[in-house]
Coordinates of all heavy atoms in Angstrom, one line a residue:
M19 N 14.2 8.3 -7.6 CA 13.1 9.2 -7.2 C 11.9 8.9 -8.1 O 12.0 8.7 -9.2 CB 13.6 10.6 -7.4 CG 12.4 11.6 -7.2 SD 12.9 13.4 -7.2 CE 13.8 13.5 -5.7
L20 N 10.7 9.0 -7.4 CA 9.5 8.8 -8.1 C 9.2 10.0 -9.0 O 9.4 11.2 -8.5 CB 8.4 8.6 -7.0 CG 7.0 8.2 -7.4 CD1 7.1 6.8 -8.1 CD2 6.1 8.1 -6.2
R21 N 8.7 9.8 -10.2 CA 8.3 10.9 -11.1 C 6.8 10.7 -11.3 O 6.3 9.6 -11.7 CB 9.0 10.8 -12.4 CG 10.5 10.9 -12.3 CD 11.0 12.3 -12.4 NE 10.7 12.9 -13.7 CZ 10.8 14.2 -13.9 NH1 11.3 15.0 -12.9 NH2 10.6 14.7 -15.1
I22 N 6.0 11.7 -11.0 CA 4.5 11.7 -11.0 C 4.1 12.6 -12.2 O 4.3 13.8 -12.2 CB 3.9 12.1 -9.7 CG1 4.4 11.1 -8.6 CG2 2.4 12.1 -9.8 CD1 3.9 11.5 -7.2
P23 N 3.3 12.0 -13.1 CA 2.8 12.8 -14.2 C 1.5 13.5 -13.8 O 0.4 13.0 -13.8 CB 2.5 11.8 -15.3 CG 2.3 10.5 -14.6 CD 3.0 10.6 -13.3
C24 N 1.6 14.8 -13.4 CA 0.4 15.6 -13.0 C -0.4 15.9 -14.3 O 0.2 16.3 -15.2 CB 0.9 16.9 -12.3 SG -0.5 18.0 -11.9
P25 N -1.7 15.7 -14.2 CA -2.5 15.9 -15.4 C -2.4 17.4 -15.8 O -2.7 17.8 -17.0 CB -3.9 15.5 -15.0 CG -3.7 14.6 -13.9 CD -2.5 15.1 -13.2
W26 N -2.2 18.3 -14.9 CA -2.2 19.8 -15.2 C -0.8 20.3 -15.4 O -0.6 21.3 -16.2 CB -2.9 20.5 -14.0 CG -4.3 20.1 -13.9 CD1 -5.3 20.7 -14.6 CD2 -4.9 19.1 -13.1 NE1 -6.5 20.0 -14.3 CE2 -6.2 19.1 -13.3 CE3 -4.3 18.3 -12.1 CZ2 -7.1 18.2 -12.7 CZ3 -5.2 17.4 -11.5 CH2 -6.5 17.4 -11.8
C27 N 0.2 19.8 -14.8 CA 1.6 20.4 -14.9 C 2.6 19.5 -15.7 O 3.6 20.0 -16.0 CB 2.1 20.5 -13.5 SG 1.1 21.5 -12.4
G28 N 2.3 18.3 -15.9 CA 3.2 17.4 -16.6 C 4.0 16.6 -15.5 O 3.7 16.6 -14.4
E29 N 5.0 15.8 -16.0 CA 5.7 15.0 -15.1 C 6.7 15.8 -14.2 O 7.4 16.6 -14.7 CB 6.5 14.0 -16.0 CG 7.2 12.9 -15.1 CD 7.9 11.8 -15.9 OE1 9.0 12.0 -16.3 OE2 7.2 10.9 -16.3
R30 N 6.6 15.5 -12.9 CA 7.4 16.3 -11.9 C 8.0 15.3 -10.9 O 7.5 14.2 -10.7 CB 6.5 17.3 -11.2 CG 5.9 18.3 -12.0 CD 6.9 19.3 -12.5 NE 6.4 20.5 -13.1 CZ 6.0 20.7 -14.4 NH1 6.2 19.7 -15.2 NH2 5.5 21.8 -14.8
D31 N 9.1 15.7 -10.2 CA 9.7 14.9 -9.2 C 8.8 14.8 -8.0 O 8.0 15.7 -7.7 CB 11.0 15.6 -8.8 CG 12.1 15.4 -9.8 OD1 12.0 14.6 -10.7 OD2 13.1 16.2 -9.7
E32 N 8.9 13.7 -7.3 CA 8.2 13.4 -6.1 C 8.2 14.5 -5.1 O 7.3 14.7 -4.3 CB 8.7 12.0 -5.6 CG 8.1 11.6 -4.3 CD 8.8 10.4 -3.7 OE1 9.7 9.8 -4.4 OE2 8.5 10.0 -2.6
I33 N 9.4 15.2 -5.0 CA 9.6 16.2 -4.0 C 8.5 17.3 -4.1 O 8.3 18.0 -3.1 CB 11.0 16.7 -4.0 CG1 11.4 17.4 -2.8 CG2 11.2 17.6 -5.3 CD1 12.8 17.7 -2.6
E34 N 7.9 17.5 -5.2 CA 6.9 18.5 -5.4 C 5.5 18.0 -4.8 O 4.6 18.8 -4.7 CB 6.7 18.9 -6.8 CG 7.8 19.6 -7.5 CD 7.5 20.1 -8.8 OE1 6.3 20.1 -9.3 OE2 8.5 20.5 -9.5
F35 N 5.4 16.8 -4.4 CA 4.1 16.2 -4.0 C 4.1 15.8 -2.6 O 5.2 15.6 -2.0 CB 3.8 15.0 -4.9 CG 3.6 15.3 -6.3 CD1 4.7 15.3 -7.2 CD2 2.3 15.5 -6.9 CE1 4.5 15.6 -8.5 CE2 2.2 15.7 -8.2 CZ 3.3 15.8 -9.1
R36 N 3.0 15.7 -2.0 CA 2.9 15.2 -0.6 C 1.8 14.1 -0.6 O 0.7 14.3 -1.1 CB 2.4 16.3 0.4 CG 2.4 15.8 1.8 CD 2.3 17.0 2.8 NE 3.5 17.8 2.7 CZ 3.4 19.2 2.7 NH1 2.3 19.8 2.9 NH2 4.5 19.9 2.6
Y37 N 2.2 12.9 -0.1 CA 1.3 11.8 0.0 C 0.2 12.1 1.0 O 0.4 12.6 2.1 CB 2.1 10.6 0.5 CG 1.3 9.3 0.7 CD1 0.9 8.6 -0.4 CD2 0.9 8.9 1.9 CE1 0.1 7.4 -0.3 CE2 0.1 7.7 2.1 CZ -0.2 7.0 1.0 OH -1.0 5.9 1.1
R38 N -1.0 11.8 0.6 CA -2.2 12.2 1.4 C -3.1 11.0 1.8 O -4.2 11.2 2.3 CB -3.1 13.2 0.7 CG -2.3 14.5 0.4 CD -1.8 15.2 1.6 NE -2.9 15.7 2.4 CZ -2.9 16.1 3.7 NH1 -1.7 16.0 4.3 NH2 -3.9 16.5 4.3
G39 N -2.6 9.8 1.5 CA -3.3 8.6 2.0 C -3.8 7.7 1.0 O -3.7 7.9 -0.2
D40 N -4.5 6.7 1.5 CA -5.1 5.6 0.7 C -6.4 6.1 0.1 O -7.3 6.4 0.8 CB -5.3 4.4 1.7 CG -5.8 3.2 1.0 OD1 -6.2 3.2 -0.1 OD2 -5.8 2.1 1.7
A41 N -6.4 6.0 -1.2 CA -7.6 6.4 -1.9 C -8.7 5.4 -2.0 O -9.8 5.6 -2.5 CB -7.3 6.9 -3.3
S42 N -8.4 4.2 -1.5 CA -9.4 3.1 -1.6 C -10.2 3.0 -0.4 O -11.2 2.3 -0.3 CB -8.7 1.8 -1.8 OG -7.9 1.4 -0.7
R43 N -9.9 3.8 0.7 CA -10.7 3.8 1.9 C -11.9 4.7 1.8 O -11.8 5.8 1.2 CB -9.8 4.2 3.1 CG -8.6 3.3 3.1 CD -7.8 3.5 4.3 NE -8.7 3.0 5.4 CZ -8.3 2.9 6.7 NH1 -7.1 3.3 7.0 NH2 -9.1 2.4 7.6
E44 N -13.0 4.3 2.4 CA -14.2 5.1 2.4 C -14.4 5.7 3.8 O -14.3 5.0 4.8 CB -15.4 4.2 2.1 CG -16.6 5.1 1.8 CD -17.7 4.2 1.1 OE1 -17.3 3.3 0.4 OE2 -18.9 4.6 1.3
R45 N -14.7 7.0 3.8 CA -14.9 7.7 5.1 C -16.2 7.3 5.7 O -17.2 7.2 5.0 CB -14.9 9.2 4.8 CG -15.0 10.1 6.0 CD -14.9 11.6 5.6 NE -15.1 12.4 6.8 CZ -14.0 12.8 7.5 NH1 -12.8 12.4 7.2 NH2 -14.2 13.6 8.5
P46 N -16.2 6.9 7.0 CA -17.5 6.5 7.6 C -18.5 7.6 7.6 O -18.2 8.8 7.6 CB -17.1 6.1 9.0 CG -15.6 6.3 9.2 CD -15.1 7.0 7.9
A47 N -19.7 7.2 7.8 CA -20.8 8.2 7.9 C -20.6 9.0 9.2 O -20.0 8.5 10.2 CB -22.2 7.5 8.0
A48 N -21.2 10.2 9.3 CA -21.0 11.1 10.4 C -21.4 10.5 11.7 O -20.8 10.7 12.8 CB -21.7 12.4 10.2
H49 N -22.4 9.6 11.7 CA -22.9 9.0 13.0 C -22.3 7.6 13.2 O -22.8 6.9 14.1 CB -24.4 8.8 12.9 CG -24.9 8.0 11.7 ND1 -24.8 6.7 11.6 CD2 -25.3 8.4 10.5 CE1 -25.2 6.3 10.4 NE2 -25.5 7.3 9.7
A50 N -21.2 7.3 12.5 CA -20.6 5.9 12.6 C -20.0 5.7 14.0 O -19.8 4.5 14.4 CB -19.6 5.7 11.5
G51 N -19.6 6.7 14.7 CA -19.0 6.5 16.0 C -17.5 6.6 16.0 O -16.8 6.6 15.0
L52 N -17.0 6.7 17.2 CA -15.5 6.9 17.4 C -14.7 5.8 16.9 O -13.6 6.0 16.3 CB -15.3 7.2 18.9 CG -13.8 7.5 19.3 CD1 -13.4 8.8 18.6 CD2 -13.7 7.7 20.8
A53 N -15.1 4.5 17.1 CA -14.3 3.4 16.7 C -14.1 3.4 15.2 O -13.0 3.1 14.7 CB -15.0 2.1 17.1
A54 N -15.2 3.8 14.4 CA -15.1 3.8 13.0 C -14.1 4.8 12.5 O -13.2 4.6 11.6 CB -16.4 4.0 12.3
F55 N -14.1 6.0 13.2 CA -13.1 7.1 12.8 C -11.7 6.8 13.3 O -10.8 7.1 12.6 CB -13.6 8.4 13.3 CG -14.7 9.0 12.5 CD1 -16.0 8.9 12.8 CD2 -14.4 9.7 11.3 CE1 -17.0 9.4 12.0 CE2 -15.4 10.2 10.5 CZ -16.7 10.0 10.8
N56 N -11.6 6.1 14.4 CA -10.3 5.7 14.9 C -9.7 4.7 13.9 O -8.5 4.8 13.6 CB -10.5 5.0 16.3 CG -9.2 4.9 17.0 OD1 -8.4 5.8 17.0 ND2 -9.0 3.7 17.6
A57 N -10.5 3.8 13.4 CA -10.0 2.8 12.4 C -9.6 3.5 11.1 O -8.6 3.1 10.5 CB -11.1 1.7 12.2
L58 N -10.4 4.5 10.7 CA -10.0 5.2 9.5 C -8.7 5.9 9.6 O -7.9 5.9 8.7 CB -11.1 6.3 9.2 CG -10.8 7.2 8.0 CD1 -10.9 6.5 6.7 CD2 -11.7 8.4 8.0
V59 N -8.4 6.5 10.8 CA -7.2 7.3 11.0 C -6.0 6.3 11.3 O -4.9 6.6 10.7 CB -7.3 8.3 12.1 CG1 -6.0 9.0 12.4 CG2 -8.4 9.3 11.7
Y60 N -6.2 5.3 12.1 CA -5.0 4.6 12.6 C -4.8 3.2 12.0 O -3.8 2.6 12.2 CB -5.1 4.5 14.1 CG -4.9 5.8 14.7 CD1 -6.0 6.4 15.4 CD2 -3.7 6.5 14.7 CE1 -5.9 7.7 15.9 CE2 -3.6 7.8 15.3 CZ -4.7 8.4 15.9 OH -4.6 9.6 16.4
T61 N -5.8 2.6 11.4 CA -5.7 1.2 10.8 C -5.2 1.3 9.4 O -5.8 2.0 8.6 CB -7.0 0.5 10.9 OG1 -7.5 0.5 12.3 CG2 -6.9 -0.9 10.4
R62 N -4.1 0.7 9.1 CA -3.5 0.8 7.8 C -3.2 -0.6 7.2 O -2.8 -1.5 7.9 CB -2.1 1.5 7.9 CG -2.2 2.9 8.4 CD -2.5 3.9 7.2 NE -2.5 5.2 7.7 CZ -3.6 6.0 7.9 NH1 -4.8 5.4 7.7 NH2 -3.5 7.2 8.3
D63 N -3.5 -0.7 5.9 CA -3.0 -1.9 5.2 C -1.6 -1.6 4.7 O -1.2 -0.4 4.6 CB -3.9 -2.1 4.0 CG -5.3 -2.5 4.4 OD1 -5.5 -3.2 5.5 OD2 -6.3 -2.3 3.6
N64 N -0.9 -2.6 4.4 CA 0.4 -2.4 3.8 C 0.5 -3.3 2.6 O 1.1 -4.3 2.5 CB 1.5 -2.9 4.8 CG 2.9 -2.5 4.4 OD1 3.1 -1.7 3.5 ND2 3.9 -3.2 5.0
P65 N -0.2 -2.8 1.5 CA -0.3 -3.7 0.3 C 1.0 -3.8 -0.5 O 1.8 -2.9 -0.5 CB -1.4 -3.0 -0.5 CG -1.3 -1.6 -0.1 CD -0.9 -1.6 1.3
C66 N 1.2 -5.0 -1.1 CA 2.3 -5.2 -2.0 C 1.6 -5.4 -3.4 O 1.0 -6.4 -3.6 CB 3.1 -6.4 -1.6 SG 4.5 -6.7 -2.7
G67 N 1.7 -4.4 -4.2 CA 1.0 -4.4 -5.5 C 0.4 -3.1 -5.9 O 0.8 -2.1 -5.4
W68 N -0.6 -3.1 -6.7 CA -1.2 -1.9 -7.2 C -2.0 -1.3 -6.1 O -2.8 -2.0 -5.4 CB -2.0 -2.2 -8.4 CG -1.2 -2.6 -9.6 CD1 -1.0 -3.8 -10.1 CD2 -0.3 -1.7 -10.3 NE1 -0.1 -3.8 -11.1 CE2 0.3 -2.5 -11.3 CE3 -0.1 -0.3 -10.3 CZ2 1.2 -2.0 -12.2 CZ3 0.9 0.2 -11.2 CH2 1.5 -0.6 -12.2
H69 N -1.9 0.0 -5.9 CA -2.6 0.7 -4.8 C -3.1 2.1 -5.3 O -2.3 2.8 -6.0 CB -1.6 0.9 -3.7 CG -2.1 1.4 -2.4 ND1 -1.7 2.5 -1.8 CD2 -3.1 0.9 -1.7 CE1 -2.4 2.7 -0.7 NE2 -3.3 1.7 -0.6
A70 N -4.3 2.5 -4.9 CA -4.8 3.8 -5.3 C -4.5 4.7 -4.1 O -4.8 4.4 -3.0 CB -6.3 3.7 -5.5
E71 N -3.8 5.9 -4.4 CA -3.4 6.8 -3.4 C -3.7 8.2 -3.7 O -3.9 8.6 -4.9 CB -1.8 6.7 -3.3 CG -1.3 5.3 -3.1 CD 0.2 5.2 -3.3 OE1 0.8 6.0 -4.1 OE2 0.8 4.4 -2.6
W72 N -3.8 9.0 -2.7 CA -4.0 10.5 -2.9 C -2.7 11.1 -2.8 O -1.9 10.8 -1.9 CB -4.9 11.1 -1.8 CG -6.3 10.6 -1.8 CD1 -6.9 9.9 -0.8 CD2 -7.3 10.7 -2.8 NE1 -8.2 9.6 -1.1 CE2 -8.5 10.1 -2.3 CE3 -7.3 11.4 -4.0 CZ2 -9.6 10.1 -3.0 CZ3 -8.5 11.3 -4.8 CH2 -9.6 10.7 -4.3
W73 N -2.4 12.0 -3.7 CA -1.1 12.8 -3.7 C -1.5 14.3 -4.0 O -2.3 14.6 -4.9 CB -0.2 12.4 -4.8 CG 0.5 11.1 -4.5 CD1 0.0 9.8 -4.7 CD2 1.9 10.9 -3.9 NE1 1.0 8.9 -4.3 CE2 2.1 9.6 -3.8 CE3 2.9 11.8 -3.6 CZ2 3.3 9.0 -3.3 CZ3 4.0 11.3 -3.1 CH2 4.3 9.9 -3.0
L74 N -1.0 15.2 -3.2 CA -1.3 16.6 -3.3 C -0.1 17.3 -4.0 O 1.1 17.1 -3.5 CB -1.5 17.3 -2.0 CG -1.9 18.8 -2.0 CD1 -3.2 19.0 -2.7 CD2 -2.0 19.3 -0.6
H75 N -0.3 18.0 -5.1 CA 0.8 18.7 -5.8 C 1.1 20.0 -5.1 O 0.8 21.1 -5.7 CB 0.5 18.8 -7.3 CG 1.7 19.1 -8.1 ND1 1.6 19.3 -9.5 CD2 3.0 19.3 -7.7 CE1 2.9 19.5 -9.9 NE2 3.7 19.5 -8.9
V76 N 1.8 20.0 -4.0 CA 2.0 21.2 -3.2 C 3.0 22.2 -3.9 O 2.9 23.4 -3.7 CB 2.5 20.9 -1.8 CG1 1.4 20.2 -1.0 CG2 3.7 20.1 -1.8
G77 N 3.9 21.6 -4.7 CA 4.9 22.5 -5.3 C 4.5 22.9 -6.7 O 5.4 23.3 -7.5
G78 N 3.3 22.7 -7.1 CA 2.8 23.0 -8.4 C 1.4 23.6 -8.4 O 1.2 24.6 -7.8
C79 N 0.5 22.9 -9.0 CA -0.9 23.4 -9.1 C -1.7 23.3 -7.9 O -2.9 23.8 -7.8 CB -1.6 22.6 -10.3 SG -1.7 20.8 -10.0
R80 N -1.2 22.6 -6.8 CA -1.9 22.4 -5.6 C -3.2 21.6 -5.7 O -4.1 21.7 -4.9 CB -2.2 23.7 -4.9 CG -0.9 24.5 -4.6 CD -1.0 25.7 -3.7 NE -1.5 25.2 -2.3 CZ -0.7 24.7 -1.4 NH1 0.6 24.5 -1.7 NH2 -1.2 24.4 -0.2
Q81 N -3.3 20.8 -6.8 CA -4.5 19.9 -7.0 C -4.2 18.6 -6.3 O -3.1 18.1 -6.2 CB -4.7 19.7 -8.5 CG -5.1 20.9 -9.3 CD -6.4 21.4 -8.9 OE1 -7.4 20.6 -8.8 NE2 -6.6 22.7 -8.7
L82 N -5.3 18.0 -5.8 CA -5.3 16.7 -5.3 C -5.4 15.7 -6.4 O -6.3 15.8 -7.3 CB -6.4 16.5 -4.3 CG -6.5 15.1 -3.5 CD1 -5.2 15.0 -2.6 CD2 -7.7 15.0 -2.7
L83 N -4.5 14.7 -6.5 CA -4.5 13.7 -7.5 C -4.8 12.3 -7.0 O -4.4 12.0 -5.9 CB -3.1 13.7 -8.2 CG -2.5 15.0 -8.6 CD1 -1.1 14.7 -9.2 CD2 -3.3 15.7 -9.6
K84 N -5.4 11.5 -7.8 CA -5.5 10.1 -7.5 C -4.5 9.4 -8.3 O -4.5 9.5 -9.6 CB -6.9 9.6 -7.8 CG -7.2 8.1 -7.3 CD -8.5 7.6 -7.7 CE -9.6 8.3 -6.8 NZ -10.9 7.7 -7.1
V85 N -3.6 8.6 -7.7 CA -2.5 7.9 -8.4 C -2.6 6.4 -8.1 O -2.8 6.0 -7.0 CB -1.2 8.4 -7.9 CG1 0.0 7.7 -8.5 CG2 -1.0 9.9 -8.1
V86 N -2.6 5.6 -9.2 CA -2.5 4.2 -9.1 C -1.0 3.8 -9.3 O -0.5 3.9 -10.3 CB -3.4 3.4 -10.1 CG1 -3.2 1.9 -9.9 CG2 -4.9 3.8 -9.8
R87 N -0.4 3.3 -8.1 CA 1.0 3.1 -8.1 C 1.3 1.7 -7.6 O 0.6 1.2 -6.7 CB 1.7 4.1 -7.2 CG 3.2 4.0 -7.1 CD 3.7 5.0 -6.1 NE 3.3 4.9 -4.7 CZ 3.9 4.1 -3.8 NH1 5.1 3.5 -4.1 NH2 3.5 4.0 -2.6
H88 N 2.3 1.0 -8.1 CA 2.7 -0.3 -7.6 C 3.6 -0.1 -6.5 O 4.7 0.6 -6.6 CB 3.4 -1.1 -8.7 CG 3.5 -2.6 -8.4 ND1 4.4 -3.1 -7.5 CD2 2.8 -3.6 -8.9 CE1 4.2 -4.4 -7.5 NE2 3.2 -4.7 -8.3
T89 N 3.3 -0.6 -5.3 CA 4.1 -0.3 -4.1 C 5.4 -0.9 -4.1 O 6.3 -0.5 -3.3 CB 3.3 -0.7 -2.8 OG1 3.0 -2.1 -2.9 CG2 2.0 0.1 -2.7
L90 N 5.7 -1.9 -4.9 CA 7.0 -2.6 -4.9 C 7.9 -2.0 -6.0 O 9.0 -1.7 -5.7 CB 6.8 -4.1 -5.2 CG 8.0 -5.0 -5.1 CD1 8.6 -4.9 -3.6 CD2 7.7 -6.4 -5.4
T91 N 7.4 -1.8 -7.2 CA 8.2 -1.2 -8.3 C 8.1 0.3 -8.4 O 8.9 0.9 -9.1 CB 7.8 -1.9 -9.6 OG1 6.4 -1.5 -9.9 CG2 7.8 -3.4 -9.5
H92 N 7.1 0.9 -7.8 CA 6.8 2.3 -7.9 C 6.3 2.7 -9.3 O 6.3 3.9 -9.6 CB 8.0 3.2 -7.4 CG 8.4 2.9 -6.0 ND1 7.6 3.3 -4.9 CD2 9.5 2.4 -5.5 CE1 8.2 2.9 -3.8 NE2 9.3 2.3 -4.1
E93 N 6.0 1.8 -10.1 CA 5.5 2.1 -11.4 C 4.1 2.8 -11.3 O 3.3 2.4 -10.4 CB 5.3 0.8 -12.3 CG 4.7 1.0 -13.6 CD 4.4 -0.3 -14.3 OE1 4.8 -1.4 -13.8 OE2 3.9 -0.2 -15.4
I94 N 3.9 3.8 -12.0 CA 2.6 4.5 -12.0 C 1.8 4.1 -13.2 O 2.2 4.3 -14.3 CB 2.8 6.0 -11.9 CG1 3.5 6.4 -10.6 CG2 1.5 6.8 -12.1 CD1 3.8 7.8 -10.4
H95 N 0.6 3.6 -12.9 CA -0.3 3.1 -14.0 C -1.2 4.2 -14.5 O -1.5 4.3 -15.7 CB -1.1 1.9 -13.5 CG -2.2 1.5 -14.4 ND1 -2.0 1.0 -15.7 CD2 -3.5 1.4 -14.2 CE1 -3.1 0.7 -16.2 NE2 -4.1 1.0 -15.4
W96 N -1.7 5.0 -13.6 CA -2.7 6.0 -13.9 C -2.7 7.2 -12.9 O -2.4 7.0 -11.7 CB -4.1 5.3 -13.9 CG -5.2 6.2 -14.3 CD1 -5.7 6.5 -15.5 CD2 -6.1 6.9 -13.3 NE1 -6.8 7.3 -15.4 CE2 -7.0 7.6 -14.1 CE3 -6.1 7.0 -11.9 CZ2 -8.0 8.4 -13.5 CZ3 -7.1 7.7 -11.3 CH2 -8.0 8.4 -12.1
V97 N -3.0 8.4 -13.4 CA -3.1 9.6 -12.6 C -4.3 10.3 -13.0 O -4.5 10.5 -14.2 CB -1.9 10.5 -12.6 CG1 -2.1 11.7 -11.8 CG2 -0.6 9.7 -12.2
G98 N -5.2 10.7 -12.1 CA -6.4 11.5 -12.5 C -6.8 12.4 -11.3 O -6.2 12.5 -10.3
A99 N -7.9 13.1 -11.6 CA -8.6 13.9 -10.6 C -9.4 13.1 -9.6 O -9.7 11.9 -9.9 CB -9.5 14.9 -11.3
P100 N -9.7 13.7 -8.5 CA -10.4 12.9 -7.4 C -11.7 12.2 -7.9 O -12.0 11.1 -7.5 CB -10.7 13.9 -6.3 CG -9.6 14.9 -6.5 CD -9.3 15.0 -7.9
G101 N -12.4 12.8 -8.8 CA -13.7 12.3 -9.3 C -13.6 11.2 -10.4 O -14.5 10.6 -10.8
E102 N -12.4 11.1 -10.9 CA -12.1 10.1 -12.0 C -11.8 8.8 -11.4 O -11.3 8.6 -10.3 CB -11.0 10.7 -12.9 CG -11.3 12.0 -13.5 CD -10.2 12.5 -14.4 OE1 -9.0 12.0 -14.2 OE2 -10.4 13.4 -15.2
E103 N -12.0 7.8 -12.3 CA -11.6 6.4 -12.0 C -10.7 5.8 -13.0 O -10.9 6.1 -14.2 CB -12.9 5.5 -11.9 CG -13.8 5.9 -10.8 CD -13.2 5.7 -9.4 OE1 -12.4 4.8 -9.3 OE2 -13.6 6.4 -8.5
P104 N -9.7 5.1 -12.6 CA -8.8 4.4 -13.6 C -9.6 3.4 -14.4 O -10.5 2.8 -13.9 CB -7.7 3.7 -12.8 CG -8.3 3.6 -11.4 CD -9.3 4.7 -11.3
P105 N -9.3 3.3 -15.7 CA -10.1 2.4 -16.6 C -9.9 1.0 -16.2 O -10.9 0.2 -16.3 CB -9.6 2.7 -18.0 CG -8.2 3.3 -17.8 CD -8.3 4.0 -16.4
S106 N -8.8 0.6 -15.8 CA -8.5 -0.8 -15.4 C -7.2 -0.9 -14.6 O -6.4 0.0 -14.6 CB -8.5 -1.7 -16.6 OG -7.3 -1.4 -17.4
R107 N -7.0 -2.1 -14.0 CA -5.8 -2.4 -13.4 C -4.9 -2.9 -14.5 O -5.3 -3.6 -15.4 CB -6.0 -3.5 -12.4 CG -5.1 -3.5 -11.2 CD -5.4 -4.7 -10.3 NE -6.6 -4.5 -9.6 CZ -6.7 -4.4 -8.3 NH1 -5.6 -4.4 -7.6 NH2 -7.8 -4.3 -7.6
P108 N -3.6 -2.6 -14.5 CA -2.7 -3.1 -15.6 C -2.6 -4.6 -15.6 O -2.2 -5.2 -16.7 CB -1.4 -2.4 -15.3 CG -1.4 -2.1 -13.8 CD -2.9 -1.8 -13.5
D109 N -2.8 -5.3 -14.5 CA -2.5 -6.8 -14.5 C -3.8 -7.6 -14.1 O -3.7 -8.7 -13.7 CB -1.4 -7.1 -13.5 CG -1.8 -6.7 -12.1 OD1 -2.8 -5.9 -11.9 OD2 -1.1 -7.0 -11.2
G110 N -5.0 -7.0 -14.3 CA -6.1 -7.8 -13.9 C -7.4 -7.1 -14.2 O -7.5 -6.2 -15.1
P111 N -8.5 -7.4 -13.4 CA -9.8 -6.8 -13.7 C -9.9 -5.4 -13.3 O -8.9 -4.8 -12.7 CB -10.7 -7.7 -12.7 CG -9.7 -8.1 -11.6 CD -8.4 -8.3 -12.3
P112 N -10.9 -4.7 -13.7 CA -11.1 -3.3 -13.3 C -11.0 -3.1 -11.8 O -11.4 -4.0 -11.0 CB -12.5 -2.9 -13.8 CG -12.8 -3.9 -14.9 CD -12.0 -5.2 -14.5
L113 N -10.5 -1.9 -11.4 CA -10.4 -1.6 -10.0 C -11.8 -1.5 -9.4 O -12.7 -1.0 -10.0 CB -9.6 -0.3 -9.8 CG -8.1 -0.4 -10.1 CD1 -7.5 0.9 -10.2 CD2 -7.4 -1.3 -9.1
P114 N -11.9 -1.8 -8.1 CA -13.2 -1.5 -7.4 C -13.4 0.0 -7.3 O -12.5 0.8 -7.4 CB -13.0 -2.2 -6.1 CG -11.6 -2.2 -5.9 CD -10.9 -2.4 -7.2
P115 N -14.7 0.4 -7.2 CA -14.9 1.8 -7.0 C -14.1 2.4 -5.8 O -14.0 1.8 -4.8 CB -16.5 1.9 -6.7 CG -17.0 0.6 -7.2 CD -15.9 -0.4 -7.1
Q116 N -13.7 3.6 -6.0 CA -12.8 4.3 -5.0 C -13.7 5.2 -4.2 O -14.6 5.8 -4.7 CB -11.7 5.0 -5.7 CG -10.8 4.1 -6.5 CD -10.1 3.1 -5.7 OE1 -9.3 3.4 -4.8 NE2 -10.4 1.8 -6.1
A117 N -13.3 5.4 -3.0 CA -14.0 6.4 -2.1 C -13.6 7.8 -2.5 O -12.5 8.1 -3.0 CB -13.6 6.1 -0.7
G118 N -14.5 8.7 -2.3 CA -14.3 10.1 -2.5 C -13.4 10.6 -1.3 O -13.2 10.0 -0.3
H119 N -12.8 11.8 -1.5 CA -11.9 12.4 -0.5 C -12.3 13.8 -0.2 O -12.7 14.5 -1.0 CB -10.5 12.3 -1.0 CG -9.5 12.5 0.1 ND1 -8.9 13.7 0.4 CD2 -9.1 11.6 1.1 CE1 -8.0 13.5 1.4 NE2 -8.1 12.3 1.8
Ligands
ZN9 ZN1 0.2 19.8 -10.8

C-alpha cells in the first residue's frame, strides 16, 4: 500500500486519499475551444518514472496535495501544497514549472 506523507496530517495510508489527476498538465484558456478541453479530459500520458500528481486527502484534512511519485516504484520524492514546487527531481534536473489546479 502507498503511504503518503501529508504536510498537515503526517504519513497516512493511500486509502485516505483520492487521486485527482496529472499535476503537470495546464488547463487551456477559456476561449481555447472544445478540442483543447476534450484533450485535457481524455488524452492521457502513461509515464514510467517521476510524475507530478494531484491527491486529495479526503479522509483527513481535505487539502489538495501535489505529490511527486515514481510510477514504477511508487517512491514518493516530495509532497506539497498546490502553489508549491518541488526543489528538484531526485534523479536529474529541476522539474519544469507545474500547472495550477
Ligand atoms: Zn492531510
Side-chain angles (χ1 to χ4, degrees):
M19 173 175 286
L20 191 62
R21 299 272 296 170
I22 300 175
C24 175
W26 294 277
C27 305
E29 189 174 88
R30 298 290 194 270
D31 287 341
E32 174 187 357
I33 197 165
E34 292 189 10
F35 296 85
R36 184 165 300 139
Y37 179 76
R38 299 300 292 164
D40 184 346
S42 64
R43 302 189 70 175
E44 190 165 331
R45 187 177 177 86
H49 56 78
L52 185 58
F55 281 97
N56 193 46
L58 174 70
V59 173
Y60 295 109
T61 303
R62 298 276 185 256
D63 291 331
N64 189 17
C66 180
W68 294 105
H69 189 236
E71 304 169 331
W72 297 117
W73 286 81
L74 183 65
H75 195 178
V76 293
C79 60
R80 303 195 59 80
Q81 295 291 313
L82 185 65
L83 311 176
K84 187 183 288 184
V85 176
V86 176
R87 180 181 66 91
H88 197 285
T89 58
L90 187 62
T91 65
H92 300 293
E93 178 187 355
I94 293 176
H95 170 61
W96 178 86
V97 178
E102 297 177 343
E103 295 295 332
S106 66
R107 208 185 288 246
D109 60 349
L113 290 167
Q116 304 295 301
H119 196 259

